[in-house]
Structures are given as C-alpha cells and as structure tokens.
C-alpha cells in the first residue's frame, strides 16, 4: 500500500540580510528537486499544498503554484528580484515537537560553472535531469581556528602564536577528515584573518554544519600546568543565550526552520532553551568521545571535560566543542603544538571521535 502523499501545512519566508530562507512544514519526508534559472528558483515536490503562500520578502518577490511534471507533484515557482544561488536545500527530520520541514536558503548571485545547483537531503531525492537516486549528503564538520589577524591569541616563550598553531591544526584536521571521503569540511578561516567571536558560530549555522569544533591553545599563569581540555556550553551560559536570542528583534533564524517572531518572548525563550539542551547533550557526547579517543601520548588536564560560556559555543542548533589543545605557557606543550607529528596525532584523535559521533564505529583508545 502506497503511503499517503505529503502535505504542506505551513509556508513561510524569512529575510536574514545575507540570505532569504524558504520553509515548508510537511506531514512527512518527500522527494524534491530544485530547478534554478535566471528568473528565480522552482521547487518541484511530491506534496499537496494545504497552506497559503507567504507574501514577498527578502530576495523573493512572488511565489506561484503550478502542477508538477508527474501526478501528485507540484511546482512552487519563486520569482526573485535578482539572480540567486541555492545555499542549502534539505528536509529536516522532525525534532523538538516540530514536523518535518523543507528548508531552502537563497543568496544573491549566480552559482559558478560546475557548482552544485541542487543540494539535496538524505532520502529518496532526485536532482533535476537525472534518473539516478541521489546519494545522502555527507555530514558537514566546521572547524574554527581560534584568533587570527590582529588578534594573535597566546604567545609562547619560543615565539609561537596561538593563531598560527590553531590554523595549522585546523588544516591538518581538514586534510584527514576529507581523506576519509565520509565528510564535508569547512573552516571559519583558512588564512590569517580576524573574525569576531559571534560570527564564527554564525558561519557554521549558515553553512548548515552538523558539528562545530573550535581550536585553541591558551596560556595560564601557572607555568607547570599542561594538557588538553575540552569545553561545552555551560547551563548558565545557555540560559542567558536563550534569553538574549528570544529578545532579539529578528528571531526567525534562532532555530533552523522555526519562526519565533510570532511567539511571545517567554515561549520563544522556552523553545530556544529546549533546542539548546538537545544540542548541549550532543556536544557533551562528542566531547566525551574526543577524550576517549585521544592518542595515549597526548596529555590531558585533571577533569578535562569542562563547561563555560564561550561565545563560539552558543549556536542553539549546532553541536559544538572548544578544544584547548594545550598551554603555550608550558614549554613542553608549546614544543609539541609546534610539531607536525603531534598535530597529525591530535588530528587523528579528533577524526576517531568524529567517526564515533556520526557512525559509532570508532574504537576508543582510552578507558
């Protein structure tokens, strides 16, 4: 017996400055295709429309509905005020009491020759002009090398700067992750560039990150203190962040696919807090995997699993950790962090943790 066709129960647009987000609430996951052209974007989907279409907003100046190429299909034709490129198009599974949602992000500009014009979500989804079954998209890991530009971070006695160490480590981790063929990887910076703290998790969210890893190598007054530690967002910091997000004027992107601007501040705070709690649980799970999969040669602090209110950890819907790889104030840590061999070992440890997080196949190296 064939399943009942998906139905669209709500449709909305959100203007987020650098992008326009189109969201459809669905009764179930359903195949779709994205058909960009010079006049806008067409979404072809196996679904029935039960909701009014939203008014023009952002880059979208009108939305029209037409029958699709096959029975049971419809086409939503988004006319835009300028040529656009598709940054993201996927169906988000049900979570936090919300139904499945189709989410598409549009930005001004034209995709380059040979670039992917049709990002698709996992499932039985087909890109246009192709009869082959689409492959599930690979998880996206965003790596954040701490500091950069005019902000050097900590400086060791041997002259090593934290911003250089974190960038070198990020590139090695990216190399090892990509070599597996199991992940997509992006860096918040791939050169000596200053990026404000709040912009770093925002980059991860814009790219649709599945995991965010921020890398640091601090210094401390106690010069005998050495070893790695890993931080997740603290409960108190999460509460403050949820309240701040709920009070912001534009709340429609506070949680992916959920427009909170129609909710009261109290309800918005509760919903953001619920999303953050789930994200924090996932963050702690990954942090534990990092510690269990560390190469035995890598020293750790006593009680290395910690929490704090770091700004880079405050995205409500992207699991995130901050890895303090060691202390540049300790001569041995500083020497190791400047070593290619040590970076390879540490990147290998993080790779095993990422494998464990997404597949459960990693073999822990520590009890």
């Amino acid at each position: 017996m064939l399943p009942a066709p998906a139905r669209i129960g709500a449709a909305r647009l959100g203007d987020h400055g650098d992008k326009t987000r189109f969201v459809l609430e669905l009764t179930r996951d359903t195949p779709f295709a994205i058909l960009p052209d010079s006049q806008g974007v067409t979404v072809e989907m196996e679904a029935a429309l039960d909701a009014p279409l939203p008014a023009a907003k952002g880059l979208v100046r009108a939305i029209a509905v037409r029958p699709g190429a096959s029975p049971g299909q419809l086409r939503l034709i988004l006319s835009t005020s300028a040529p656009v490129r598709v940054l993201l198009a996927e169906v988000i599974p049900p979570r936090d009491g919300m139904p499945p949602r189709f989410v598409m992000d549009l930005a001004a500009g034209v995709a380059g020759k040979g670039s992917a014009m049709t990002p698709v979500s996992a499932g039985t989804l087909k890109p246009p002009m192709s009869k082959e079954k689409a492959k599930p998209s690979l998880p996206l890991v965003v790596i954040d090398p701490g500091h950069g530009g005019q902000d050097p971070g900590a400086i060791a006695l041997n002259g090593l700067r934290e911003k250089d160490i974190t960038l070198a480590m990020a590139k090695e981790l990216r190399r090892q992750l990509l070599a597996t063929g199991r992940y997509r990887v992006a860096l918040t910076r791939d050169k000596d560039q200053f990026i404000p703290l709040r912009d770093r998790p925002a980059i991860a969210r814009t790219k649709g990150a599945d995991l965010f890893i921020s890398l640091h190598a601090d210094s401390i007054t106690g010069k005998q203190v050495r070893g790695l530690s890993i931080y997740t967002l603290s409960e108190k910091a999460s509460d403050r962040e949820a309240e701040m997000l709920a009070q912001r004027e534009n709340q429609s992107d506070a949680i992916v696919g959920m427009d909170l601007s129609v909710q009261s501040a109290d309800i918005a705070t509760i919903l953001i807090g619920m999303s953050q709690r789930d994200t924090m649980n996932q963050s702690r799970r990954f942090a534990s995997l990092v510690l269990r999969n560390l190469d035995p040669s890598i020293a750790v602090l006593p009680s290395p699993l910690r929490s704090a209110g770091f700004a880079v950890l405050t995205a409500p819907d992207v699991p995130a950790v901050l890895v303090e790889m060691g202390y540049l104030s300790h001569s041995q840590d500083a020497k190791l962090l400047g070593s290619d061999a040590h970076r390879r070992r540490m990147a290998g440890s993080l790779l095993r943790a990422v494998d464990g997080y997404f597949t459960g196949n990693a073999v822990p190296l520590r009890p």
Side-chain angles (χ1 to χ4, degrees):
M1 185 176 183
L2 294 175
R7 308 196 75 85
I8 300 170
R12 53 185 176 270
L13 283 168
D15 182 8
H16 307 297
D18 60 339
K19 67 183 180 185
T20 298
R21 170 161 288 176
F22 180 50
V23 179
L24 301 173
E25 291 188 4
L26 305 168
T27 55
R28 65 172 179 83
D29 197 352
T30 186
F32 69 89
I34 307 299
L35 309 167
D37 60 39
S38 60
Q39 305 300 315
V41 176
T42 296
V43 180
E44 188 170 80
M45 180 176 291
E46 293 183 8
L49 182 64
D50 294 338
L53 293 172
K57 187 176 287 188
L59 294 167
V60 178
R61 56 185 178 84
I63 304 178
V65 183
R66 300 287 186 272
S70 304
Q73 287 187 336
L74 61 76
R75 287 187 173 183
L76 297 170
I77 303 169
L78 284 70
S79 301
T80 56
S81 56
V84 295
R85 51 196 175 93
V86 179
L87 299 177
L88 168 76
E90 64 178 355
V91 174
I92 299 174
R95 66 184 186 194
D96 300 326
M98 295 293 292
R101 283 153 290 157
F102 168 79
V103 179
M104 180 173 67
D105 287 345
L106 304 176
V110 180
K113 184 179 180 180
S115 61
M117 293 294 290
T118 312
V120 296
S121 66
T124 57
L125 306 177
K126 296 182 179 180
M129 306 304 292
S130 173
K131 295 184 179 180
E132 296 183 3
K133 189 173 181 178
K135 294 181 180 178
S137 59
L138 299 175
L140 174 62
V141 180
V142 172
I143 308 169
D144 173 45
H147 306 279
Q150 66 267 35
D151 174 18
I155 301 176
L157 291 176
N158 60 9
L160 282 175
R161 299 177 299 184
E162 183 178 5
K163 68 175 183 178
D164 300 324
I165 290 170
T166 59
L167 182 57
M169 181 65 214
K171 290 181 176 180
E172 175 60 23
L173 178 56
R174 176 177 63 182
R175 183 190 70 79
Q176 292 196 25
L177 286 167
L178 289 176
T180 69
R182 293 189 293 270
Y183 307 104
R184 295 174 295 138
V185 182
L187 270 59
T188 56
R189 67 178 181 95
D190 59 5
K191 58 186 177 181
D192 187 12
Q193 174 187 9
F194 175 77
I195 300 176
L197 290 176
R198 287 279 175 178
D199 288 357
R200 294 169 185 258
I203 291 171
R205 299 189 73 221
T206 298
K207 292 180 178 294
D210 298 289
L211 183 63
F212 179 82
I213 304 172
S214 188
L215 301 172
H216 289 260
D218 211 341
S219 62
I220 197 169
T221 303
K223 296 188 181 298
Q224 300 307 310
V225 177
R226 65 171 300 232
L228 176 145
S229 57
I230 185 165
Y231 288 83
T232 60
L233 186 66
S234 71
E235 293 283 349
K236 289 184 178 179
S238 174
D239 292 342
R240 289 196 302 271
E241 184 70 12
E243 185 176 359
M244 288 172 58
L245 283 168
Q247 290 174 350
R248 288 177 189 168
E249 183 175 341
N250 182 6
Q251 300 167 353
S252 57
D253 195 36
I255 303 174
V256 172
M258 185 182 296
D259 187 353
L260 299 181
S261 59
V262 299
Q263 305 288 350
S264 69
D266 288 343
I267 296 298
T269 301
I270 292 170
L271 292 173
I272 294 169
M274 288 172 61
S275 177
Q276 279 191 316
R277 293 302 182 277
D278 179 66
T279 301
M280 288 165 64
N281 288 337
Q282 296 301 319
S283 301
R284 284 192 285 264
R285 183 169 76 88
F286 177 68
S288 297
L289 284 167
V290 170
L291 295 173
R292 291 171 60 195
N293 285 280
L294 277 179
D295 188 287
S297 67
I298 299 175
V300 297
L301 286 177
S303 303
L305 183 54
R306 304 180 174 203
S307 64
F310 290 112
V312 295
L313 301 179
T314 54
D317 46 15
V318 181
V321 299
L322 185 148
V323 181
E324 283 284 1
M325 299 180 290
Y327 288 98
L328 294 183
S329 47
H330 191 282
S331 59
Q332 189 172 354
D333 270 3
K335 181 179 178 180
L336 287 170
L337 288 168
S339 159
D340 290 341
H342 183 76
R343 282 196 291 268
R344 286 193 294 271
R345 285 192 294 270
M346 187 170 290
S349 301
L350 291 171
L351 170 58
R352 286 189 294 273
V354 172
D355 280 342
Y357 180 78
F358 287 110
T359 70
N361 293 331
V363 179
L365 298 183
R366 299 187 183 216

